Amino acid sequence: MEVLVDCSTFSSCMHAGSIIGQVSLFSPEGAATSVPTQVKFLARQDNTVLGYCYYIPCVLDVIRHNPAIADIYTEHAHQVVVAKYAPSGFYIASGDVSGKLRIWDTTQKEHLLKYEYQPFAGKIKDIAWTEDSKRIAVVGEGREKFGAVFLWDSGSSVGEITGHNKVINSVDIKQSRPYRLATGSDDNCAAFFEGPPFKFKFTIGVSFRLGTEAPAGKGMFQDNISWSPDSTHLLSASGDKTSKIWDVNVNSVVSTFPMGSNVLDQQLGCLWQKDHLLSISLSGYINYLDKNNPSKPLRVIKSSRHHHPEVWFLLNHTPHYWDSETGENDSFSGKGHTNQVSRMTVDESGQLVSCSMDDTVRYTNLTLRDYSGQGVVKLDVQPKCVAVGPGGYTVVVCIGQIVLLKNQKKCFSIDSPGYEPEVVAVHPGGDTVAVGGSDGNVRVYSILGTTLKDEGKLLEAKGPVTDVAYSHDGAFLAVCDASKVVTVFSVADGYSENNVFYGHHAKIVCLAWSPDNEHFASGGMDMMVYVWTLSDPETKVKIQDAHRLHHVSSLAWLDEHTLVTTSHDASVKEWTITY
């Protein structure tokens, strides 16, 4: 058995706040190759790949091809601030808050590290390459110095970046000889250098500080600017929720792109790459701007999927959806849960059933994808997990309580059950409920009309139960626990132990059965996913570092060979499994 780990990744970053603006100081006119000079976007010169960086560099094939295909670089140990393509297109240099600069390959799936440097101790805020891809300038929040310029393959210095007495926010290099380098700083000055070796020449002061009212009718701070290919215009992105095109020769606005009125519509960055004009919103959405119709973007990349039906996941306690058939993707509209969503599932009528720390269970129509005041069940205590069964039944596990709902109405509860329930699953037949507890046991209940009856059957796990799941045919119950073990019980044999599965190095947090009922997947705090074979615990697939930045939070099978995983790294990954 093997797993094809050339998975598809669907990034869904949602920003928590604004980003300090940076500037582009040189136009690409006369350069042998035009280098994108924006901060959060990075683009390859053949116009095929666009990169987008927030917490991690995320290389997205969105300019010309399918934006559903994403590749995330996760080798930094700290939050990444900026990444830039080398003009050759073969490497990307990325810098993080600790001052580490990593130069890594873009041509292979493994993204092998070429070089790693620490130009100074402190956050790297911007990076620039020379047009021959041989020299790199790095600036930021160093302690003893705020910038460095060096050879990419040896780290040898090719000049000094001086002339500032505060943090340097931005750097750019003229893309033709003779080289010129420029920097912008918190000291309200732009400094200019000649080289190589680069030496300080002079500074120019500005009359306003970043984040305050800007001149020339810009409204709020400019977060990013990008030159047009012919060097006659600039595209800017601003916190005033607009992007603008400027005519450099007459110093005036040619077009204004209003992006909305919500706080999340603030614009953090932009890119003018050949015929494509893009901006990125605080919401994380990438907007394709239309010069002929500034009032409406040509396209908005919110996230997308391919080849499979809809997948639902949670982001900031709001469900999002992707429809592969149409490419439609968005968040739910309306006011939904007001706190973190603990679990969600889909019932037999096609409604999304979710429970939240706001002490409610919500039933949301998946066709309308709109929250409303209908379908909200208020609970007495905070829910942890929810499961659904045929006949309109919903079972909710709360803190110290188990609640049975029928047709969206509370009809029965078990208060103070004598243990702390954590997770729940309903048998596909709809007559049995399995509840896992923190005491390391699973209790079996029967649904009798509008009540739950404890059958007195106690299934022992190897540790505190973290998830339970029935196979689709109802023949088996899988139980995972904090002791890194999955135990499978045979339902037909009175819940006798069928097999025990070992392999995880940390607590297992989620389970999901394949539609073939012969395989199931588990995800853990060790960032690994295992695909197990029911009849043979030794026949297993290990997906190492399925999500490198955070543990796997949930699993789902789209079909017998397609597994989807989610994580707190804000990505959804699709894996193709072949047996």
Side-chain angles (χ1 to χ4, degrees):
M1 183 189 296
E2 64 173 337
V3 61
L4 304 180
V5 294
D6 53 339
C7 68
S8 299
T9 303
F10 314 103
S11 180
S12 52
C13 295
M14 179 70 74
H15 303 321
S18 183
I19 298 173
I20 296 298
Q22 312 241 348
V23 294
S24 168
L25 295 168
F26 292 114
S27 77
E29 185 177 12
T33 56
S34 62
V35 175
T37 51
Q38 59 293 325
V39 176
K40 295 301 162 185
F41 283 115
L42 55 153
R44 206 164 66 185
Q45 302 312 309
D46 60 6
N47 200 33
T48 59
V49 179
L50 167 69
Y52 161 55
C53 165
Y54 189 63
Y55 288 112
I56 49 179
C58 179
V59 181
L60 306 176
D61 190 0
V62 304
I63 292 185
R64 195 174 64 187
H65 299 301
N66 187 355
I69 303 172
D71 194 3
I72 302 178
Y73 183 76
T74 58
E75 297 300 320
H76 278 275
H78 301 277
Q79 177 184 331
V80 178
V81 180
V82 62
K84 291 291 180 69
Y85 257 106
S88 66
F90 297 138
Y91 296 97
I92 285 178
S94 54
D96 62 32
V97 296
S98 73
K100 287 285 190 205
L101 180 79
R102 296 176 67 90
I103 301 173
W104 42 278
D105 176 79
T106 64
T107 62
Q108 305 297 320
K109 298 176 184 177
E110 295 80 11
H111 300 309
L112 297 177
L113 177 68
K114 187 70 173 178
Y115 302 106
E116 182 179 70
Y117 302 109
Q118 178 122 20
F120 46 79
K123 180 192 294 186
I124 293 176
K125 304 194 72 174
D126 203 8
I127 300 168
W129 292 79
T130 54
E131 46 82 27
D132 57 5
S133 301
K134 293 182 179 180
R135 302 167 186 84
I136 298 177
V138 181
V139 298
E141 298 179 2
R143 294 184 178 91
E144 297 179 356
K145 60 180 180 179
F146 301 120
V149 55
F150 50 88
L151 294 175
W152 84 292
D153 56 353
S154 68
S156 300
S157 175
V158 287
E160 292 184 343
I161 296 180
T162 58
H164 293 293
N165 55 33
K166 290 187 179 180
V167 172
I168 301 177
N169 295 316
S170 180
V171 63
D172 199 14
I173 297 175
K174 178 171 168 281
Q175 295 297 294
S176 61
R177 292 178 181 271
Y179 292 139
R180 297 292 183 265
L181 184 149
T183 56
S185 168
D186 276 356
D187 61 9
N188 296 349
C189 290
F192 293 82
F193 304 78
E194 292 181 356
F198 290 97
K199 297 180 180 179
F200 173 78
K201 295 299 292 184
F202 62 91
T203 61
I204 296 176
V206 295
S207 58
F208 65 95
R209 294 180 59 83
L210 187 66
T212 61
E213 186 76 12
K218 295 180 184 178
M220 290 180 65
F221 55 88
Q222 297 293 320
D223 275 321
N224 198 238
I225 57 176
S226 182
W227 285 95
S228 64
D230 61 6
S231 303
T232 61
H233 293 79
L234 284 170
L235 175 65
S236 65
S238 173
D240 65 2
K241 310 179 188 69
T242 69
S243 291
K244 296 178 184 290
I245 294 179
W246 302 76
D247 188 322
V248 176
N249 295 323
V250 297
N251 191 27
S252 65
V253 176
V254 176
S255 299
T256 298
F257 303 90
M259 306 309 298
S261 57
N262 192 285
V263 172
L264 295 179
D265 295 321
Q266 292 184 21
Q267 300 302 291
L268 302 183
C270 61
L271 170 67
W272 196 325
Q273 183 75 359
K274 296 192 182 330
D275 296 328
H276 301 280
L277 283 76
L278 297 94
S279 72
I280 187 164
S281 305
L282 182 61
S283 63
Y285 295 169
I286 298 174
N287 312 293
Y288 284 64
L289 306 179
D290 185 356
K291 288 190 292 185
N292 298 320
N293 183 16
S295 62
K296 184 179 180 180
L298 285 169
R299 185 181 187 185
V300 179
I301 301 298
K302 301 176 180 179
S303 200
S304 58
R305 294 183 45 81
H306 56 97
H307 304 315
H308 293 286
E310 290 178 335
V311 168
W312 312 83
F313 86 105
L314 292 164
L315 184 64
N316 289 359
H317 60 256
T318 301
H320 287 60
Y321 69 89
W322 285 260
D323 189 322
S324 64
E325 299 298 328
T326 64
E328 183 182 3
N329 52 91
D330 207 343
S331 60
F332 281 33
S333 59
K335 184 178 180 181
H337 288 291
T338 58
N339 207 329
Q340 177 180 322
V341 177
S342 304
R343 190 69 71 96
M344 63 182 184
T345 185
V346 178
D347 66 13
E348 61 180 355
S349 64
Q351 293 188 106
L352 183 70
V353 184
S354 56
C355 67
S356 167
M357 290 183 180
D358 61 7
D359 299 346
T360 66
V361 173
R362 280 183 172 268
Y363 295 81
T364 307
N365 188 297
L366 291 184
T367 302
L368 299 177
R369 303 181 184 112
D370 179 49
Y371 280 124
S372 66
Q374 306 297 320
V376 180
V377 179
K378 180 67 176 176
L379 302 175
D380 298 329
V381 289
Q382 186 181 107
K384 299 179 181 179
C385 186
V386 63
V388 296
Y393 286 109
T394 301
V395 182
V396 187
V397 165
C398 305
I399 298 175
Q401 188 181 62
I402 303 170
V403 179
L404 177 66
L405 307 177
K406 183 174 175 59
N407 298 327
Q408 303 184 22
K409 293 182 179 180
K410 181 178 176 181
C411 59
F412 186 78
S413 67
I414 300 176
D415 302 320
S416 302
Y419 65 98
E420 186 56 43
E422 296 290 342
V423 290
V424 61
V426 177
H427 189 275
D431 56 352
T432 306
V433 176
V435 179
S438 60
D439 61 353
N441 296 309
V442 177
R443 275 89 172 171
V444 178
Y445 298 84
S446 294
I447 299 178
L448 302 176
T450 57
T451 63
L452 286 174
K453 179 186 176 182
D454 189 346
E455 294 296 330
K457 191 176 293 294
L458 199 69
L459 313 180
E460 293 186 6
K462 313 305 178 186
V465 179
T466 54
D467 202 8
V468 291
Y470 280 102
S471 58
H472 297 281
D473 59 5
F476 298 95
L477 174 68
V479 179
C480 64
D481 57 54
S483 297
K484 305 170 285 188
V485 181
V486 181
T487 307
V488 175
F489 299 90
S490 174
V491 176
D493 296 330
Y495 287 93
S496 62
E497 187 176 291
N498 175 272
N499 250 324
V500 181
F501 300 81
Y502 299 91
H504 281 280
H505 302 311
K507 179 171 73 173
I508 306 172
V509 296
C510 51
L511 288 169
W513 282 89
S514 168
D516 64 10
N517 297 306
E518 174 62 18
H519 302 90
F520 64 91
S522 61
M525 298 289 288
D526 53 7
M527 305 180 188
M528 290 194 294
V529 171
Y530 279 93
V531 179
W532 308 91
T533 302
L534 180 63
S535 58
D536 183 8
E538 299 304 317
T539 304
K540 58 190 176 184
V541 173
K542 182 173 80 170
I543 305 177
Q544 185 82 27
D545 294 327
H547 294 264
R548 291 184 60 89
L549 298 182
H550 292 278
H551 69 270
V552 179
S553 59
S554 187
L555 300 161
W557 291 84
L558 297 181
D559 55 48
E560 294 181 0
H561 297 286
T562 309
L563 177 68
V564 174
T565 63
T566 64
S567 170
H568 295 297
D569 66 1
S571 67
V572 179
K573 293 187 177 182
E574 178 185 300
W575 308 84
T576 300
I577 312 292
T578 58
Y579 306 109

